[in-house]
Amino acid sequence: MPRVPPESRSDWRGVLVVAEHRGKALMPITRELLAKGHDLAERLSTTLNCAVLAADPAPLVKEAIAYGADRVFCAASPRFEHYNTEPYVDLLAPLILKERPEALLLGGTRNGRDLAGRLAVRLTSGIGADSTDIRVNTETRNLEMVKPAFGGLILAAIVCENHRPQIATARPNVFSPLPPDWKRIAQVTRVEVPEAKGRPRTRVVRETYEPEGRARIEDAKVVVCVGRGIGSPERVETAAELARCLTAQLASTRPVADLGWVPHNQMIGQTGAFVRPSVYIGFGVSGQVAHTIGLAGTRTIAAVNKDPKAPIFAMADIAVEGDVSEILPAFLEEVKRRSKGAAQGALPERPPQA
Amino acid sequence: MKIAVCVKVVPDPSEITFDPQTKTVSRRNARNILNAADLNALEWALHLKAHTGATVWTFSMGPPFAAQNLADTIAMGADDAFLVSDRALAESDTLPTSLALAKAIEKAGGADLVFCGDETSDSATGQVPASIAEHLNYAQVTFARDLVLEPEKHAVRVTRELEGGQSLVESDLPCVISILSGSNRPRYTLFATRQGARASFKPKVWGIADLGLPREVVGAAGSPTRVSAVTAAPSAHRESLRIKGPAREAARKLAEALEARGAFEGVH
């Protein structure tokens, strides 16, 4: 919407989350946004809405309601089987201009960002991108969208005071979903999908996903992370073996991913994943802010680095000064020794985690 | 075939500092470099140029000194470069920025493909490519890991990388494509070649009047968003248990410390 003068701003009410899904279930990011949306809607004394565009919306609508939506707009069409920019924008823009939500929450995911950039121009409004926190001024009803910038050195608060809807995107694992309530009842509104005028300019040929069982780095409870100090792909393999022994996920910093030693989708940091494990053990990780910003939610951070002044030590609970090439294999042996001992009943019962 | 590549000049991320007293980011000691992902985008364009004889033009919005970095794109192999520069553009958010770049591409005659890096190292919003596509009314495909031209169909096949998967998309031209950072290795140019280009090449420089943009749609006036406050990121400081000494001992102490913190619950 072009500038919305203060006297018209009362026309814009409600929070809208656009759902991301892969067929039968909502993506975790959508459940997380619904939780944040629910919080904002409460503070603003307004409703939380969710837009579900899918070939078969029914199961997704149910899930959106269970995770907090007060009202769901659902659009059913084969053209929504996979995310595709223009079918989404062409349906959402008129819906938004009609329903006038004051805030629009999208995932800071690949598809979310694909959509946000186009929708913001279509609607002439602004985005607070990759927000790590969204606060609201209940007087002005303006969101304050906080995000890290300059590689994580600073936090910038972005506001979109005179345009509506205010658009905010947030990355996975920044917000936590509410526990689902499958007994919740909400209003469901079917949105008519207009006749397609010819085929869309972009067409999804096929989507392939990693096997269901493969864990996402975001869900890791234990992370073994390698930084540049790991030194070689061979040593990365040792770290991978350690990860297997610890039932952990192997992750890396940006430079290691760019070297091709660890797949990019296992990268932690500002341009990669945010993780919230119980344990993070970094080998040869120096601790650049652009990486460590992705670790903030970790319970116990351990780091091994030969530089006593490595920035990571300032945020580590356990700081091991030493040569990764010696300590990593020694630690792997130690872990193997302990688990063998445990299997033989040699170690005492561990107390349950507090 | 014409390929437009949008590049941004950014302060070298490893050389930026933040002064918590004055709450300012200092780029004084940071070299001005081309955003890393934009180099991946340019590399894709140059790769296509080698295979199809396409023309590659680079575009940037920035202060006058960005002309030097645009000269670097010529050194790499681009055929021409355009700089959008105007004081009125200062404090532009992504809406006027994408508009200015789109207008420049239009003024230069449009393109069949517009490549951009997926995001910048400084503001990292990742929105500009999609916004440019909307301003130009071009198709868009974002986060491309790989792409293949299909000239007979006047189309391009792009492999988009999604979280935990991939999407193979076929798009009509003209199309804006955002290129995944790290999806290729940008070519190396000799220092002498870069110096030569910097000495001899001057990009076309356009201001908002050249692009037909009134003041109200650019700069702070044309930006729906603004930065209302800047703070240092909260300290992530934790008190550390420090472990040193011979490797085997250090490894044992590390294991003990982790175990004491319940870290090995649920392992084997």
Side-chain angles (χ1 to χ4, degrees), chain A residues 165-188:
Chain A
Q166 308 163 82
I167 306 173
T169 69
R171 308 191 69 216
N173 248 6
V174 165
F175 302 125
S176 300
L178 296 169
D181 175 2
W182 297 98
K183 296 207 198 70
R184 282 188 86 241
I185 309 217
Q187 191 184 350
V188 179

Side-chain angles (χ1 to χ4, degrees), chain A residues 132 148 151-152 171-174 217-218 220-227 249-254 266-304 311-318, chain B residues 234-238:
Chain A
T132 49
R171 308 191 69 216
N173 248 6
V174 165
I217 188 80
E218 280 91 351
K221 295 282 188 296
V222 183
V223 170
V224 170
C225 186
V226 294
Q249 292 265 56
L250 178 69
S252 83
T253 60
R254 180 94 201 215
Q266 287 164 236
M267 185 179 78
I268 293 173
Q270 196 189 2
T271 56
F274 277 38
V275 295
R276 285 207 242 154
S278 315
V279 182
Y280 164 103
I281 314 174
F283 290 94
V285 174
S286 64
Q288 298 303 316
V289 184
H291 170 66
T292 59
I293 201 180
L295 310 184
T298 308
R299 206 166 71 108
T300 301
I301 297 175
V304 180
I312 191 130
F313 287 149
M315 68 183 294
D317 299 291
I318 306 167
Chain B
S235 172
H237 191 267
R238 302 185 186 197

